[in-house]
């Protein structure tokens, strides 16, 4: 396997294999091929830490790729920047019998300057090796040199669907600058030895069968066996620090921004003028945040000290752009002008949270937001979003650990968790049927939270073809032959109206009968994965409430034959109710439904009940309203 090295400001080296193994695929034990698309035949990695700012990382790896589903292991990809350099690379390719086929060195790799086109910040080296046939074996040897350390590289022992014959991981450090380590999803402990002023840690793994990923388990890397490392004392670009506590991490960050998180006098006046209309602290915060959303743009920039030091507040005020750390830093500077205390916070931004151990200080964050601790009314701000409601983080950063960067150092806290009622999807459809099965529909949609984000992006801002794909592919509406969307782009909270012309509304027809679905879209669309032998928790994207009212106006000369029975489904984390009524006088069928999911995380032990519940919800939609010509 080629282990991807993501650019963290650290330094490392790698050992060469001491003995030659057989590259013939036939020598792989059959037990290791089970559920595996690749097998690590031999891996030796050495991290040699020479000082708080210098280290080497040297890798020798031999991986056999068994089939095309393991082809990602044939991609070599490494980032560099001013703190890290790629010293050497040699990649060798062998066929199934172990016969040498080809070789790649550093000069054969493709490279590209990074830095978002603003300021060159480094290079990425990459190549994709095309396998002439499978199985194929790749031997990778490369060395990295670091001239500045912040985080040490995480050692992933075993990715999904990959078996291990032999792995060895060595860390050598100075006794007076020890490492901290945490083993995740493994009971492995290192052998520890001392030699003069150095201390060595070594981990060994042999004959480990492949691990299978379970669908829907969220941040799947959280379940993989790995070794996480930190260094007691580090130094990056002349800024010394330590990772012995969360407090110490925060104090180090303060040294990076102390000269960049205040606005100059001329720009302070702009903020004071802007906030004149605000009568309360909360109103002033909202005024500045709204101004930020409307006038500044987010640009992903991994520049500065290892991607950690933001642009100055004055720079952002002038240029009107920045990345997450720059925009959060700017918002903090603006609030300082009106004497409102706030703190930047590091967080792991993703659809699904990662699990951070409070007892192991370590930078496992990738995003920066802002916390305003008003008296009894703490407000969190996502400064990169132009669509988030004020004081609403959204699913990207909610309900997870965050490191609050205070003047007294770092404090690990929890970001707020949304409730089902924060993510509301409301749909009202009035459908006028013709006797040939065609018809017109007027659909009114309203949404909040995560659903609102979808509508702002896909309904308000996209081209018509993309809007149609969103309505049909994502929301599950019956394919419209024509449609028109009306909404207020300046007020995303307002209702969205969709007028549709549909050639075929019934699911099917037979003789004088039409068989109608309960709704012209699917309130729930997905079948959950199998529940048998599940060991990992299951994650939905967010808690939710979805409600629907659909009114069918029957064509002249038609009446009702069958209505589905009302449903009342319950499970520990949610509920679903539906009802069907026929108005003989108005010749209308009214269907109502409400789906509530109170928790987005379902423990593995409770997943079978969740699967049954959502299976029953899907089954409800499969029941038909039957109308017939009288």
């Amino acid at each position: 396997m080629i282990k991807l090295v993501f650019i963290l400001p650290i330094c490392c080296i790698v050992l060469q294999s001491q003995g030659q193994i057989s590259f013939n695929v036939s020598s792989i034990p059959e037990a290791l091929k089970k559920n595996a698309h690749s097998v690590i035949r031999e891996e030796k990695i050495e991290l040699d830490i020479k000082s708080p700012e210098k280290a080497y990382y040297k890798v020798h790896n031999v991986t056999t790729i068994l089939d095309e589903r393991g082809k990602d292991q044939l991609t070599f990809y490494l980032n560099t920047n001013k703190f890290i350099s790629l010293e050497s690379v040699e990649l060798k390719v062998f066929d199934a019998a172990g016969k040498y086929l080809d070789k790649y060195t550093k000069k054969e790799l493709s490279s590209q300057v990074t830095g978002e086109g603003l300021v060159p910040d480094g290079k990425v080296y990459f190549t994709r090796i095309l396998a002439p046939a499978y199985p194929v074996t790749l031997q990778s040897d490369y060395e990295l040199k670091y001239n500045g350390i912040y985080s040490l590289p995480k050692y992933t022992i075993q990715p999904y669907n990959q078996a291990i014959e032999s792995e060895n991981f060595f860390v050598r450090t100075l006794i007076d600058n020890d490492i901290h380590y945490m083993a995740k999803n493994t009971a492995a402990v290192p052998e520890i030895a001392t030699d003069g002023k150095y201390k060595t840690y070594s981990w060994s793994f042999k004959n480990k069968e492949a691990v299978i990923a379970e669908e829907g388990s969220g941040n799947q890397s959280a379940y993989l066996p790995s070794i996480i490392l930190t260094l007691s004392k580090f130094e990056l670009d002349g800024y010394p620090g330590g990772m012995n506590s969360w407090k110490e991490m925060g104090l180090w960050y303060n040294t990076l921004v102390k000269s960049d998180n205040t606005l100059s006098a001329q720009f302070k006046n702009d903020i004071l003028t802007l906030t004149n209309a605000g009568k309360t602290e909360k109103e002033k915060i909202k005024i500045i945040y709204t101004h930020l959303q409307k006038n500044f743009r987010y640009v992903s920039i991994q520049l500065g000290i290892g991607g950690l030091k933001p642009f100055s507040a004055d720079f952002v005020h002038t240029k009107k752009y920045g990345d997450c750390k720059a925009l959060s830093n700017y918002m903090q500077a603006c609030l300082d002008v009106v004497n409102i205390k706030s703190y930047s916070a590091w967080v792991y931004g993703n659809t699904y949270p990662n699990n951070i151990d409070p007892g192991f200080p370590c930078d496992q964050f990738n995003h920066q937001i802002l916390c305003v601790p008003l008296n009894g009314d703490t407000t969190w701000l996502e400064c990169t979003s132009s669509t988030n409601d004020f004081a609403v983080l959204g699913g990207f950063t909610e309900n997870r650990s965050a490191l609050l960067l205070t003047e007294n150092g770092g404090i690990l806290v929890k970001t707020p968790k949304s409730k089902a009622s924060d993510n509301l999807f409301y749909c009202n459809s009035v459908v006028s049927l013709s006797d040939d099965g065609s018809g017109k529909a007027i659909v009114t949609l309203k949404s909040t939270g995560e659903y609102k984000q979808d509508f702002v992006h896909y309904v308000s801002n996209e081209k018509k073809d993309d809007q149609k794909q969103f309505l049909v592919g994502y929301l599950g509406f019956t394919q419209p032959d024509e449609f028109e969307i009306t909404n207020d782009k300046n007020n995303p909270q307002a209702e969205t109206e969709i007028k549709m012309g549909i050639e075929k509304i019934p699911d099917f027809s037979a003789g004088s009968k039409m068989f109608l679905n309960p709704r012209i879209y699917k309130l729930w669309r997905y079948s959950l994965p199998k529940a048998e032998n599940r060991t990992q928790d299951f994650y939905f994207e967010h808690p939710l409430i979805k409600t629907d009212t659909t009114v069918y106006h029957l064509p002249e000369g038609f009446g009702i034959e069958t209505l589905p029975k009302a449903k009342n489904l319950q499970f520990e984390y949610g509920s679903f109710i539906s009802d069907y009524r026929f108005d003989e006088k108005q010749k209308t069928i009214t269907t109502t439904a409400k789906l509530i999911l109170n928790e987005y995380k379902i423990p593995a032990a409770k997943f079978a009940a969740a699967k049954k519940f959502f299976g029953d919800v899907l089954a409800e939609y499969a029941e038909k309203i039957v109308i017939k010509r009288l």
Side-chain angles (χ1 to χ4, degrees), residues 422-439:
D422 293 325
N423 302 301
L424 175 65
F425 178 91
Y426 166 80
C427 182
N428 184 87
S429 304
V430 178
V431 184
S432 299
L433 270 168
S434 299
D435 57 8
D436 63 355
S438 65

Side-chain angles (χ1 to χ4, degrees), residues 66 136 297 400 433 480:
L66 299 174
V136 64
R297 61 189 176 92
R400 61 202 69 193
L433 270 168

Side-chain angles (χ1 to χ4, degrees), residues 162-286:
Q162 185 173 70
I164 297 170
E165 279 196 78
S166 176
E167 278 189 354
N168 293 279
F169 178 46
F170 304 93
V171 180
R172 185 169 179 259
T173 187
L174 294 165
I175 289 177
D176 63 358
N177 190 20
D178 208 354
I179 63 166
H180 307 293
Y181 67 88
M182 179 173 66
K184 294 191 69 174
N185 305 311
T186 176
V189 294
E191 293 184 6
I192 304 174
T194 57
D195 179 14
K197 62 179 182 178
Y198 289 99
K199 194 173 185 179
T200 302
Y201 297 78
S202 60
W203 287 266
S204 296
F205 307 92
K206 292 186 181 298
N207 299 319
K208 293 179 66 66
E209 294 184 10
V211 178
I212 303 173
E214 294 183 6
E215 185 180 347
S217 56
N219 181 16
Q220 293 189 346
S221 64
Y223 297 95
L224 292 172
S226 60
I227 307 295
I228 300 176
L229 306 171
T230 63
L231 193 57
S232 295
K233 295 180 289 186
F234 63 82
E235 185 171 327
L236 188 63
D237 203 34
Y239 290 86
M243 213 165 283
N244 301 295
S245 67
W246 299 111
K247 178 179 179 178
E248 196 172 23
M249 290 171 61
L251 290 173
W252 180 78
Y253 175 78
N254 290 343
T255 66
L256 296 186
V257 301
K258 63 182 178 182
S259 62
D260 294 316
N261 60 358
T262 57
L263 284 167
S264 58
Q266 65 185 95
F267 296 147
K268 287 181 179 179
N269 288 330
D270 294 342
I271 302 304
L272 290 171
T273 301
L274 177 69
T275 56
N276 274 340
K279 294 181 174 58
T280 66
E281 288 187 328
K282 199 71 172 270
E283 288 177 358
K284 291 177 185 291
I285 298 167
K286 187 172 183 178

Side-chain angles (χ1 to χ4, degrees), residues 272-386:
L272 290 171
T273 301
L274 177 69
T275 56
N276 274 340
K279 294 181 174 58
T280 66
E281 288 187 328
K282 199 71 172 270
E283 288 177 358
K284 291 177 185 291
I285 298 167
K286 187 172 183 178
I287 289 170
I288 299 173
Y289 183 70
T290 302
H291 176 74
L292 182 76
Q293 286 187 304
K294 290 182 177 180
N295 297 283
F296 292 71
R297 61 189 176 92
Y298 167 74
V299 180
S300 177
I301 305 168
Q302 308 306 319
L303 307 180
I305 297 177
L308 295 163
K309 183 177 174 65
F311 288 143
S312 70
D314 278 359
F315 177 94
V316 176
H317 187 90
T318 303
K319 299 296 185 181
K320 299 293 188 291
Y321 68 75
D323 61 2
C324 62
K325 55 187 177 288
L327 293 174
S328 297
N329 184 64
Y330 173 72
M331 183 73 193
Q332 183 177 15
C334 291
L335 292 175
D336 281 345
V337 173
V338 292
N339 298 314
I340 297 175
K341 195 69 178 175
S342 63
Y343 300 110
S344 284
W346 287 342
V347 67
Y348 179 75
N350 198 288
T351 303
Y352 307 105
N354 62 347
N355 297 317
I356 292 178
D357 186 339
F360 188 79
C362 178
D363 187 352
Q364 298 179 61
F365 311 107
N366 65 357
H367 189 52
Q368 191 159 312
I369 55 180
L370 193 71
C371 177
V372 190
L374 297 174
N375 291 332
D377 187 20
T378 299
T379 299
W380 290 88
L381 301 174
E382 172 53 79
C383 297
T384 64
S385 173
S386 61

